[in-house]
Amino acid sequence: MTVGEIADLFEEIAPKEAALSWDNPGLLAGSRSWTVEKVYIALDCTDEVIDHAVAAGADMIVTHHPLIFSPIKNVTAEDFIGKRLIRLIEHRIALFAMHTNFDICKMGPLVAGRLNLSDVVPLVPCGPEESTGLGGIGTLETEMTLEHLSLYVKNALGLPGLKTFGDPQKRVSRVAFLPGSGKSDIDTAIAAGADCYITGDVDHHSGIDAVEKGIAVIDAGHWGMEHFFIEYVDLFLKGRTAGLLTATEPYVSPFKVY
C-alpha cells in the first residue's frame, strides 16, 4: 500500500475537516506516494518511538498527537522537532497524525465503552454528525461512591494511578468525561448535570474549585484517557488491509507514580 492509500482509510473514520481550527492532523512528513509495508502506531512521535519504528522496520508512523503544531521556519538538528523530522526523512518513514478529528469522531465512544456508560451523548457536540463531539456524558450501570468509581476507572482504563477531587463517599451515577486535557470544560460538565467529571491535566485550583461548584473530578491523566488510540488504530488497519504489517508502542505510562 501507499501512504496516500492508508491516509484515505483514516479519512473515512476521522476526516481532517472534523479537526478543531488550531489543530494540525494529517500527513506531517513524507510523501503520499511512498510504499508502506509496515506501520508503527504510538500516541506521540518521541525520539524513543522513532527508535522503535526504525528497529521494527516501519515505513510509516501513525500517532494521535501531531509532532508539528505551529509553523516552523527551519528544520535543523539543533531543534528537537527538526531533529526528529530529519531522522524520519533519513529513514524514509512517513508520519501521520489523527488528533482532534479522531477525538471528535471516535474517542468518545471508545471511552464510554471502557467505562460501560449508557445513554451517552457528546459533552461538547461538534463535528460532521449530531452524534459526534468532544467527550461525552452518560449513566453508570450502578450508582457508586466516588472512591469506588475512582478504582473502577483506574482498572477500566488500565492506569498506574489517578487523582480525585471530592468527597470519597459522594454518590455518583451521572458521569461526564473528556479525553486529553479537559479542565476548561468543567463548567460544561456541571451544566450537563454530571455528578463527576473524568478528564486529564487538572491542576490544583481547577480541581478544588470544581468541588466547591458541586462536581467531583477524576484526573485520569492525558495519556490515561487516550492511550487506547493505539489499539483502535492497530485493529482498524488489520481489519481494512491485507498484508499490511503493524507494530505498536509498548503499553507504558510516560510517568511513574510512587
Side-chain angles (χ1 to χ4, degrees):
M1 297 186 72
T2 65
V3 170
E5 289 171 332
I6 295 171
D8 290 343
L9 286 178
F10 290 143
E11 277 291 306
E12 296 178 19
I13 60 170
K16 188 175 180 179
E17 60 266 24
L20 298 179
S21 60
W22 52 262
D23 200 8
N24 190 37
L27 183 61
L28 302 179
S31 168
R32 285 179 59 89
S33 66
W34 286 0
T35 299
V36 178
E37 296 182 358
K38 191 169 191 177
V39 176
Y40 195 84
I41 308 161
L43 203 63
D44 299 277
C45 185
T46 62
D47 291 337
E48 187 175 36
V49 164
I50 295 175
D51 288 342
H52 294 166
V54 170
D59 309 294
M60 183 176 184
I61 296 175
V62 177
T63 63
H64 183 45
H65 299 128
L67 175 62
I68 304 171
F69 271 110
S70 303
I72 55 178
K73 294 184 178 181
N74 51 56
V75 178
T76 68
E78 285 67 42
D79 171 73
F80 79 96
I81 293 179
K83 182 178 70 173
R84 291 174 187 174
L85 290 170
I86 290 171
R87 289 194 65 209
L88 290 168
I89 300 303
E90 284 179 339
H91 290 280
R92 201 178 173 84
I93 298 175
L95 175 62
F96 188 91
M98 290 185 286
H99 191 212
T100 56
N101 50 329
F102 186 89
D103 288 337
I104 289 169
C105 296
K106 292 296 177 183
M107 193 70 85
L110 286 178
V111 175
R114 295 262 177 158
L115 299 178
N116 197 27
L117 298 176
S118 59
D119 304 319
V120 179
V121 296
L123 181 65
V124 183
C126 56
E129 301 175 9
E130 291 184 3
S131 61
T132 60
L134 293 170
I137 180 167
T139 304
L140 290 168
E141 185 176 21
T142 304
E143 182 183 85
M144 60 184 76
T145 65
L146 178 60
E147 181 178 24
H148 185 186
L149 176 62
S150 298
L151 295 173
Y152 176 81
V153 170
K154 177 182 176 180
N155 291 329
L157 301 185
L159 308 179
L162 46 72
K163 62 182 180 183
T164 300
F165 297 89
D167 180 359
Q169 299 309 309
K170 175 184 173 72
R171 306 298 298 181
V172 177
S173 61
R174 193 77 171 149
V175 173
F177 63 89
L178 200 154
S181 182
K183 69 177 182 180
S184 61
D185 281 295
I186 289 175
D187 287 342
T188 304
I190 293 172
D195 304 312
C196 181
Y197 179 46
I198 306 170
T199 189
D201 299 343
V202 179
D203 62 81
H204 170 77
H205 293 289
S206 296
I208 63 174
D209 289 350
V211 174
E212 289 296 318
K213 294 177 181 179
I215 190 170
V217 174
I218 294 177
D219 184 344
H222 201 121
W223 174 87
M225 295 288 287
E226 295 183 336
H227 62 79
F228 26 83
F229 165 89
I230 298 172
E231 180 184 30
Y232 179 92
V233 173
D234 186 33
L235 293 175
F236 172 76
L237 287 177
K238 288 176 178 176
R240 292 295 303 274
T241 63
L244 183 69
L245 301 175
T246 62
T248 58
E249 181 68 1
Y251 182 78
V252 178
S253 171
F255 60 89
K256 302 292 185 293
V257 177
Y258 295 101

